[in-house]
Each structure stands twice: as structure tokens, then as C-alpha cells.
Amino acid sequence: MITRLARLACAVLAASSVAAATVVRPNADTDAASSRPNLFLPASVPVSRSAGDAEHDSRSASALNKFKVLDEFLEALRVMQDDYFEPWLGQWPKAIDWTAAVIGTHVAGALSSLSQGLSAEEGIKEKENMITTYFSQLLSYYFGQDAFAIRNEAYDDMLWVVLGWLEAVQFIDFHTTLYHQSTAEDDSNVNRAGPGLHNQSWYGNLWTPAFSHRARIFWDIASQGWDNKLCGGGMTWNPRLEPYKNAITNELFIAASTSMYLYFPGDTNNSPFLNTHDPLASDALASGANSTGSGDPHNPQHLQAALSGYFWLQHSDMKNKLGLFVDGFHISGWKNISNPNTRCDQRNDMVYTYNQGVLLTGQIGLWKVTGDQRFLREGHELIQSVINATGYDLFREKPIDNIADLKPGQLPPWRGLGRAGVLEDVCDVGGQCSQNSQTFKGIFFHHLTAFCAPLDMAYFKTQPTESEAGSLAREFYERTARDHRAACSSYIGWLRHNVDAALLTKDADGKFGMWWTAGLLKINPTSLDAATLSDAFTLESNSVDYRTYGVPNDNTWVSSPILAQPPTSPMREQPLYEGGNQAPLTGRRTKHAPAEDINDSADAGTSDPRTEDDHHPTDPNNRGRGRTVETQGGGLAVLRCLWELTQRAADL
């Protein structure tokens, strides 16, 4: 059901679409889709190729085909669940709260892909057994997730939870449809089944209310982070630190709010799962009373939150000259009584891969609701900015730097968000990535997959087309859908290149490393001397990598710094409180990161004793935390993205 607010938005935007369609409508004598420029690609990028044509295959050095990709995708999922997940705990024990929520999202997304992509020819029983197995693990995680602890963490931590369970709800809805189709086609089963067995819904629907309730509770609590007093709006990252309005929290709020509007089926659960006898433990916005109305499906409150967040972010000056989102803004002197400042004027120019990804889910969702082409256009512009910043040429379908020209131990130049056409976070090259950073690339590819889903024509199928305006609007919509799919298809060469690199980091156990570029370079870590690492990338002087090293213990981040470190002391990743996340940094030891050396942490996973020793690692991806469930999630996400986009491109 489209609410009154959504109908109004659609009516306004349909008019603008008609106007645009009038401008681009081709002459009847040259009415060929191939002669039209693609709405979402630069004119220099060819769009006539598809993933399977001979010309594309001859230009690609990749040995992957769709069957090989599927095999690798299934193997990545198997290793992640067999080696890292403990069903009796309902957890990936070495994950932390927010990274576990992301891993759960990867599993739910993988289930949707497998439900749709595996045909009956692969074996209906085998397919259903595999899907049921992984869904049972996801269900186990629902009970293993520490929902109470996450309520006391940062707002972005809460919003990962919202996205994760809404992803699971989408899978249940989709698989239920296919399940009914398959059972209806099985005449023999229908004939044998008694009236009590026939017409049974897929059992996963039993858990939709629980998943939806958790999503609603966490959206309600997280929405308290929206603030209009500072910076003219926007979400605050962490209520226990100095005001910081960052890209990821706002992108999550946009994506989660849009997803709540589109996929949240409603919630009539009156249990807040809080101690109502303890006023300090009760949260009015997370109560069973549902006074905010957020328990209703297709609630205008969710849509309005998404639109407000989107327009604030787009006007926040949070992009750099490469078209990439930087991390966020502090507010200088905001507590100065004599000269109170409320503007976001102190920008942290650090770039992360996940800051370029989460917004894509919000953009495709807002397009589905409004039909406004700007959301698709700005999404494609962001994706193309990322690809350019890895040093990959979409027109030539290859990296702009030739790895063969490198001298021994030399690295390809840093291009803004990667090198040699491969996506990187800054921490990759030095092997210093934290648990946070190890999760980032997988997040980007998960949301790229969501953005490049085929566009739903359900709304326009219900609109009258008798008038010329209606016919033009439909024609323009169909062109939008076709151009969107073609633009996504043009990214497949870059995806193949990244998948090739990621696969080369797998160890003997099938576990992915963090620094994918190393797979292409075949570089020995001992050749990465200090001079090489110092030249590995160029960052703006006001870039603070707190997601890798932790929150600095200074006045910018905390109001009353304690146990301040000397200025030359490196930052360390430490918890906000015991068992929490993101603390101001001090010189004291913690269970997560000893003050002496972060790589001495108990969960660092520094080396593989079968092939090397701790002091002279031969595998660049055994440095630091090594291979983890987070790096495995990254490998799974990029393989799923390639498989999904390849499947869709075949329909062009």
C-alpha cells in the first residue's frame, strides 16, 4: 500500500519524469535503444556489451564463469559458517556486536540470492536443505545477539541491527513465494497431502514478527540520534562522545528508514523487553505502547526520516574532490558560551570503503518509493567515483596502472580508495586493520548488490497509459530500468578484477585475507619497508583514522580527557566501557588492545605456524589480526555481488 505521502511524492515526480521523457524521446526514424545515451553512464563508457559476450570475455583475463563464481560463493559461505559460527552460542564468537550484525546481514542476503538463483534443476530437496540449514543458523543468531548491550552503544551500532533483520524479513517474504510455487507445481505431493498438510506456509514466516519487532525497537531508539540544533540536522554518531556527525550514521539512518518504509510488515508486539520497574532502564521510544506509530507498515514517519536524512547529507559538504564521502564533522567550540558555534566546520577527511556503500541501499529504496531519477543518478555517480578511485578504467575495462611495470617491492600508486583497480582501505597495506576496518569492504559490496537489483515496475503497471503523458512516463520508466541494468552491467569487469584479487588471498582453509591487492602483487611483507609504506597513499592532513586505531583522547572527541597519552603515542582501539565499544584512548591496558602493541592482542590472529613464523611472515594477509570472520564476510559479499550482477546482465 502506498501511503498518502508516497502518492504525493510519486505524483510530483511522475510529472518531472514525463517532462524529462519529452526531452529524450527519439525521432521515430531512429527509434533504437542502442542509439540513445545511457542515463547513468558517461558517454565514453560502452554499454552494449553483456557479461557473456565473446568480446567481453576476450578482453577479460579472468578465468571465472558464472558456475565458478557460484562454486566460490557457496564455498565462502560454507567456510564462514562452518569455521566461524557456533550454533550452540548463536554467535560468531570472535565478532563484536556490530560486526556480527553485518555478518548476519551477509547471511540473509546470501539466502535471498540462493533462493532466487538456484533453479529446480540443481535439486529442489538439496536446495531447500541448504537454505534451511543457513536459515536455522540465522535464527540461532537472533537469540545469540546481545540486544541489551547494543542499546547502550552508538547509534550506528543500533542501525546495523535494523538493516540486518529487515534483510532477513525480505528473504522470508521472497522464499515463501518460491516455496508456494514449487509446492503448487508438485502435483504428486498435492495429491498425497491431506487437508491439514496442504496450503502450509513456509515455516520461516513464524519468525517475521520477532525479526520485525527487533528492527522496530532499534529504529525507534536510534532515531533519537537525529538532532536539528547542530549543523542544521543530521544524526549524531555517539551520545557519549563530543558531537560528531559522520557519514556512516547518517547513511545508515537513510537506508534503515527507507527499508522500514518498504519492508517492515508492522509490529503489534507490546513487550519492550525492558525492566519497566526500573525507570533508568526504560526507554519510552522502545516501549510496547508504540505511541510514535512506528509499528505501522509503510509509515510516513519512516519515509520522512529517510528523505530528511538524504537531503541533509547531500548538502553537508561531506564529499571530497574525488566524489567520495569523507568520514564526518566535528563542531569547533560548540560549548563556548561567549561564541557558541553550531555549524559543522571541522571536517575529518578520512575515507573508508563502507562510507561509499550504505547510502546505495537508501538511494535504490527512495527511488522505489518516489520514482525520482536523481536517486539512481547520484547512486551511479557514487559507484563510478569509487571505481575511479581504485585506479580502474571503465572504458578500457582494466586498471590504469600496469602491475607488470612495477619494480620489486614497489606498490602501484594510491588512487584515493585503492590501487591497481582493487578496492582498499588505508589500513590494508600496513596490515593494521582493526575489527571495524576489516568489515568495511564487505559492506560496500553488499549494498552495491542491493542497488543494482532489477527495478520493480509494479507501481507503473497500475498507472493509466491511455494518455500521451501516461505513455511517455511509462516509456521513460522502462528506459530508466533498462539503462540502470546496463550501467550495473558495465561494472562487472571491475567486479571480476576485484574477485580475482580477493580469491588469490585465500589460504589453504579457504579463508579470505583483508588486503586483496596483495594477491595480485605477490609481494613479500619484508619488502614493505618504512619508506614504501610511507609512500603507499596520500591523505589529507586532517584525516583521523579512528576506526582503525580508536578514538583519540583529546578535546575534539571527549569533553574531559583522562590519562592523556603523550602526543607522539599511537592511538589504540579500546572499548568505551567494559564490554562496550569505541572509547576515548588512554595509556591503560584493556582486554581488546594492550597498550604496548595492538598486534599482541589475544584475538589478533597474527600468523599461520604451518608456513611461517611470527617474526618473518611470508603472507601479507597474516599480519595484524590476520584472517577473520570479518574478512571472510568481505570475500562472500564481493562474490555474491559478481554472481548477482552477472545473472542480471545475461537478461539484457
Side-chain angles (χ1 to χ4, degrees):
M1 183 183 77
I2 301 178
T3 66
R4 182 179 180 183
L5 178 60
R7 289 185 186 278
L8 178 61
C10 288
V12 173
L13 295 165
S16 64
S17 295
V18 170
T22 305
V23 174
V24 300
R25 188 181 189 185
N27 184 280
D29 296 331
T30 60
D31 190 7
S34 59
S35 67
R36 303 174 179 179
N38 187 284
L39 294 168
F40 308 116
L41 285 172
S44 60
V45 178
V47 295
S48 59
R49 63 175 180 259
S50 69
D53 68 33
E55 183 183 5
H56 176 276
D57 290 341
S58 67
R59 289 196 299 263
S60 174
S62 174
L64 292 168
N65 56 45
K66 69 175 184 178
F67 303 107
K68 174 67 172 175
V69 173
L70 176 58
D71 287 345
E72 293 285 359
F73 170 41
L74 291 173
E75 177 66 7
L77 179 60
R78 183 196 67 78
V79 170
M80 188 172 79
Q81 294 305 97
D82 286 359
D83 291 9
Y84 293 108
F85 186 76
E86 292 290 351
W88 68 282
L89 293 173
Q91 262 288 0
W92 299 268
K94 291 188 177 181
I96 53 179
D97 290 335
W98 87 267
T99 67
V102 172
I103 297 299
T105 308
H106 288 325
V107 173
L111 285 170
S112 292
S113 294
L114 295 175
S115 178
Q116 181 179 25
L118 295 180
S119 64
E121 286 74 16
E122 276 85 28
I124 188 68
K125 291 183 178 179
E126 291 80 0
K127 170 184 173 179
E128 189 62 27
N129 180 66
M130 179 172 58
I131 287 175
T132 300
T133 297
Y134 290 128
F135 180 74
S136 69
Q137 294 175 344
L138 190 64
L139 177 58
S140 173
Y141 170 58
Y142 173 81
F143 295 100
Q145 186 175 58
D146 194 347
F148 295 101
I150 300 173
R151 294 184 190 197
N152 295 312
E153 295 172 9
Y155 293 123
D156 61 337
D157 298 314
M158 303 175 196
L159 291 167
W160 295 116
V161 175
V162 178
L163 284 181
W165 294 115
L166 289 178
E167 188 79 35
V169 168
Q170 292 179 67
F171 158 68
I172 292 172
D173 290 345
F174 183 79
H175 191 66
T176 297
T177 301
L178 295 185
Y179 180 82
H180 284 309
Q181 290 175 354
S182 64
T183 54
E185 293 169 359
D186 190 346
D187 294 333
S188 60
N189 284 344
V190 171
N191 292 334
R192 287 197 304 268
L197 297 178
H198 191 43
N199 295 328
Q200 289 289 312
S201 181
W202 187 62
Y203 84 98
N205 286 277
L206 293 171
W207 297 101
T208 293
F211 297 169
S212 302
H213 179 67
R214 184 162 293 177
R216 195 268 295 179
I217 288 287
F218 276 92
W219 188 90
D220 284 354
I221 299 175
S223 66
Q224 297 175 78
W226 182 267
D227 161 65
N228 286 314
K229 296 179 181 178
L230 303 176
C231 309
M235 287 284 291
T236 301
W237 170 45
N238 192 324
R240 286 167 289 280
L241 296 174
E242 295 294 89
Y244 186 59
K245 299 206 170 180
N246 57 354
I248 194 59
T249 309
N250 283 278
E251 291 183 15
L252 280 165
F253 189 58
I254 296 163
S257 298
T258 307
S259 296
M260 286 289 287
Y261 181 80
L262 286 169
Y263 310 119
F264 176 64
D267 178 27
T268 59
N269 190 337
N270 289 322
S271 175
F273 297 112
L274 290 171
N275 181 3
T276 56
H277 299 292
D278 180 1
L280 297 178
S282 298
D283 192 320
L285 289 179
S287 69
N290 193 22
S291 59
T292 64
S294 64
D296 301 329
H298 308 296
N299 192 318
Q301 176 187 0
H302 296 137
L303 178 57
Q304 185 57 57
L307 290 169
S308 298
Y310 190 85
F311 293 127
W312 180 86
L313 182 64
Q314 291 297 84
H315 294 87
S316 65
D317 190 31
M318 216 175 284
K319 281 188 177 180
N320 65 14
K321 60 186 178 182
L322 297 178
L324 304 174
F325 281 98
V326 300
D327 193 72
F329 277 99
H330 295 283
I331 302 162
S332 63
W334 75 282
K335 291 187 296 186
N336 188 333
I337 298 177
S338 61
N339 184 26
N341 177 37
T342 61
R343 292 178 294 106
C344 279
D345 60 350
Q346 192 172 345
R347 199 169 84 170
N348 178 7
D349 283 330
M350 191 68 200
V351 291
Y352 299 108
T353 55
Y354 77 153
N355 278 344
Q356 324 311 320
V358 175
L359 186 62
L360 297 173
T361 287
Q363 288 166 321
I364 189 66
L366 286 172
W367 182 87
K368 289 178 181 179
V369 176
T370 67
D372 189 344
Q373 192 192 93
R374 68 170 290 183
F375 297 116
L376 293 181
R377 184 180 67 253
E378 291 171 353
H380 281 289
E381 289 172 354
L382 180 57
I383 295 167
Q384 292 158 31
S385 294
V386 170
I387 294 174
N388 291 336
T390 66
Y392 190 88
D393 188 334
L394 272 178
F395 175 73
R396 297 187 301 156
E397 281 201 287
K398 64 180 183 180
I400 62 176
D401 298 304
N402 189 353
I403 295 176
D405 295 336
L406 298 175
K407 298 176 182 178
Q410 185 180 10
L411 295 175
W414 176 254
R415 296 295 179 179
L417 203 62
R419 67 187 83 239
V422 181
L423 193 65
E424 274 190 27
D425 278 291
V426 170
C427 60
D428 286 358
V429 66
Q432 299 174 324
C433 293
S434 68
Q435 200 156 9
N436 295 321
S437 308
Q438 284 192 327
T439 319
F440 290 169
K441 287 197 289 288
I443 292 170
F444 174 82
F445 286 108
H446 172 83
H447 292 278
L448 175 58
T449 305
F451 181 81
C452 280
L455 300 185
D456 182 11
M457 294 186 64
Y459 173 72
F460 270 77
K461 286 179 180 177
T462 65
Q463 305 308 303
T465 58
E466 292 80 8
S467 66
E468 182 179 2
S471 177
L472 286 173
R474 182 179 179 86
E475 178 185 336
F476 186 68
Y477 176 84
E478 291 174 345
R479 180 189 174 189
T480 298
R482 185 170 55 248
D483 284 3
H484 172 70
R485 183 172 294 191
C488 287
S489 177
S490 74
Y491 308 144
I492 289 177
W494 177 72
L495 279 169
R496 285 177 180 267
H497 183 64
N498 277 263
V499 165
D500 285 339
L503 288 173
L504 288 171
T505 70
K506 286 172 61 176
D507 66 7
D509 297 322
K511 297 178 179 178
F512 285 85
M514 175 67 188
W515 184 25
W516 296 350
T517 318
L520 298 178
L521 299 178
K522 302 292 185 182
I523 197 166
N524 191 315
T526 59
S527 65
L528 297 175
D529 55 25
T532 302
L533 292 177
S534 65
D535 295 334
F537 43 77
T538 302
L539 296 176
E540 299 293 336
S541 59
N542 54 334
S543 298
V544 179
D545 189 359
Y546 70 100
R547 284 310 229 172
T548 296
Y549 302 108
V551 177
N553 183 33
D554 59 28
N555 287 316
T556 302
W557 293 87
V558 292
S559 57
S560 301
I562 56 174
L563 300 176
Q565 301 179 97
T568 57
S569 178
M571 296 182 292
R572 304 294 185 201
E573 180 185 17
Q574 295 189 358
L576 182 59
Y577 300 110
E578 196 71 13
N581 193 14
Q582 292 301 332
L585 299 165
T586 67
R588 53 193 168 86
R589 292 175 61 96
T590 74
K591 64 179 181 180
H592 290 284
E596 295 81 18
D597 189 345
I598 193 170
N599 289 341
D600 290 336
S601 170
D603 62 352
T606 55
S607 65
D608 183 348
R610 296 172 301 175
T611 58
E612 58 194 344
D613 61 63
D614 293 347
H615 301 291
H616 298 92
T618 59
D619 183 347
N621 279 293
N622 275 352
R623 300 171 300 162
R625 300 190 73 247
R627 291 170 172 83
T628 65
V629 64
E630 289 85 11
T631 63
Q632 192 69 18
L636 174 67
V638 71
L639 281 164
R640 177 183 173 235
C641 189
L642 176 59
W643 187 49
E644 286 274 8
L645 268 64
T646 303
Q647 297 271 92
R648 298 162 189 171
D651 297 332
L652 280 173

